[in-house]
Amino acid sequence: MENMQNQAIRVEGLRKSYKQLHVLRGVDFEVAKGSVFALLGSNGSGKTTIVKILTTLLKHDSGNVTVNGFDVALKPDGVRQSISLTGQFAAVDEILTGRENLILIARLRHLRNARQVADDLIKRFGLTDAADRRASTYSGGMRRRLDIAMSLVGNSQLVFLDEPTTGLDPEARIEVWKIVKELASSGITVFLTTQYLEEAEQLADQIAILDKGTIIVSGTLAELKKLFPPAKVEYIEKQPTLEEIFLAIVGKNQEN
Amino acid sequence: METTQSYFFMDMSVMLGRSMRHVFRSMDTIITVTLMPIAMMLLFVYVLGGAIQTGTDNYVNYLLPGIMLIAIANSIGYTSYRLFLDMERGIFERFHSMPISRSAALWGHVLTSLVSNVISVAVIILVALVMGFRSTAGGLSWLAVAGILALFTLALTWIAAIAGLSAKSVDGAVAVAYPIHFLPLISSAFVPTASMPGPVRAFAENQPVTSIVETIRSLLSNQPVGNEIWVALAWCVGIILVAYFFAKRVYQKRV
Ligand SMILES: Nc1ncnc2c1ncn2[C@@H]1O[C@H](COP(=O)(O)OP(=O)(O)OP(=O)(O)O)[C@@H](O)[C@H]1O
Ligand SMILES: [Mg+2]
């Protein structure tokens, strides 16, 4: 019982097939409240399928799935009250401005001070200059930031981010990482999926690797590192690169 | 459960406000649903009207019911287009992961179709008045006209919803509009069906638009509506029931 209270997400024996395609074949994991959990997996491994089941968008075939204490199959409304989702592909309304997008979500969450909430998020996400432009004119990074900002309207305690940095340039990626770290430090539970080990390393307290329908390893980064072969020192003959050759020649000439 | 239900109308009005912005910000939509029908009305009255024999002295009076239906038919492709994009871009998923009633998003689009058609038909009637349209109809007849137009809009909107929700591409979503655009053209909207050759006439007289046009025409000119109004209502209500049933099913399957 005590354990349940500390669990934001609990998944036991989760199975899901699309007709003949058995995507999830018995997935188990737990996410502690206030932690950042990274689900790592390659293309088509079923990350989005798990996110959709956890956020009540998709029905699973069997297994127990509990989010914030609500069973996703029996109490989907309870789940929806307590989570927010940023899907794999930025779901912003392109015809509306950034500000209008945020106000729209605030109204749908029945907040009284929708404008104020929108203004605050615009400032926090560095969208002040673009706030009154249509979202269709935004760059990929800005669109993602708006997308995440929309998910934070209403202060959910559990946030799902499905591949939040895929397709972003390095600079935009670091911005998203900063946002996730801020969320984590304010005590929000973050469930994110990624294809990059580096991203999981940067952000997550807990990492789980999904492969062929099951979680093949999970744990903290330190625990995972123990599973890998220990680091050893190797000597490798290194060929000079063209650049090094070029610099060597140019450098010699300048000395003369 | 209770909270999402009690906010249903509030959520739907937020959805309505959102997609009405889409309508007003799309020049293309405004041109197709308002300016084009008006241009057609001008063309038929001032260019072709002299040569058309309808048996009425005021051709604008004859033409207006058909023009209103054309405006509504033209709007239908946009409804399926907007629905398709919301589906495609994950907007519905975002809404459905939030604590709001699942059907609010769909009804928001249906309501938008109704409201935007009320606006464009009102503008068209104003222009027709300037062009010499006159009606002796009383309040009750106008109310009946409004009711039939609303039912016609709903019938087409639910057909559009099926297309928008089940399409695999934008082209597929808007393709539903093309056959619907033709219905008013092959009806008594512009000329009496008696002037048409046999097979065309048979089609024109037995498709929904003709009975709806005739009913509205009779109502606006204070003539007895006869049986035509029941045929018109049966068409509209029948289409609404069938299309609503299928649209609901597609929606539940997709979300
Ligand atoms: N609605 C669907 N119908 C049939 N198959 C599906 C459906 N959705 C997903 N799949 C298949 O299920 C598998 C898992 O898909 P999923 O989207 O969950 O993977 P993912 O890990 O999110 O991949 P990516 O990294 O590309 O986003 C894939 O093989 C995909 O083709
Ligand atoms: Mg995915």
Side-chain angles (χ1 to χ4, degrees), chain A residues 41-201:
Chain A
S42 51
N43 277 132
S45 55
K47 301 182 296 297
T48 299
T49 302
I50 292 182
V51 170
K52 283 189 177 173
I53 290 169
L54 292 173
T55 55
T56 76
L57 295 177
L58 193 66
K59 288 193 173 68
H60 56 285
D61 299 336
S62 63
N64 291 320
V65 182
T66 319
V67 174
N68 284 329
F70 299 103
D71 187 305
V72 290
L74 303 176
K75 295 256 187 287
D77 274 326
V79 175
R80 285 177 210 141
Q81 298 277 2
S82 61
I83 60 158
S84 73
L85 164 68
T86 306
Q88 183 165 357
F89 305 100
V92 304
D93 185 327
E94 306 212 330
I95 312 277
L96 302 185
T97 67
R99 188 188 306 278
E100 287 168 340
N101 266 293
L102 289 163
I103 292 175
L104 171 73
I105 301 299
R107 294 235 161 95
L108 290 174
R109 288 206 179 265
H110 315 122
L111 304 180
R112 272 209 212 94
N113 46 350
R115 291 201 152 265
Q116 188 58 48
V117 170
D119 285 345
D120 293 347
L121 282 164
I122 285 165
K123 258 194 229 115
R124 185 170 146 203
F125 282 80
L127 291 166
T128 309
D129 294 335
D132 296 309
R133 262 184 15 222
R134 287 194 195 182
S136 57
T137 66
Y138 285 19
S139 72
M142 286 161 75
R143 199 176 288 225
R144 202 43 159 169
R145 267 184 283 152
L146 173 61
D147 193 30
I148 297 176
M150 285 163 74
S151 303
L152 299 186
V153 171
N155 299 318
S156 303
Q157 287 310 296
L158 172 54
V159 177
F160 290 87
L161 301 167
D162 192 1
E163 297 196 31
T165 64
T166 303
L168 298 188
D169 65 25
E171 205 178 327
R173 167 168 304 170
I174 287 166
E175 273 174 25
V176 171
W177 285 358
K178 221 178 81 193
I179 294 169
V180 175
K181 283 173 182 164
E182 280 168 16
L183 291 179
S185 63
S186 66
I188 291 174
T189 313
V190 180
F191 181 104
L192 68 90
T193 73
T194 178
Q195 300 185 27
Y196 311 113
L197 188 58
E198 190 204 350
E199 184 158 294
E201 266 190 73

Side-chain angles (χ1 to χ4, degrees), chain B residues 120-148:
Chain B
S120 62
V121 166
V123 171
I124 289 168
I125 292 175
L126 284 180
V127 174
L129 280 170
V130 173
M131 291 169 66
F133 162 71
R134 293 295 176 265
S135 168
T136 50
L140 214 60
S141 299
W142 273 105
L143 215 61
V145 170
I148 291 171

Side-chain angles (χ1 to χ4, degrees), chain B residues 17 31 74 95 113 134 162 166 172 181 217 223 227 230 251:
Chain B
I31 289 174
N74 279 5
F95 291 157
S113 174
R134 293 295 176 265
I162 300 174
S166 54
H181 285 180
R217 202 174 274 148
Q223 303 288 318
N227 259 343
W230 301 114
Y251 190 63

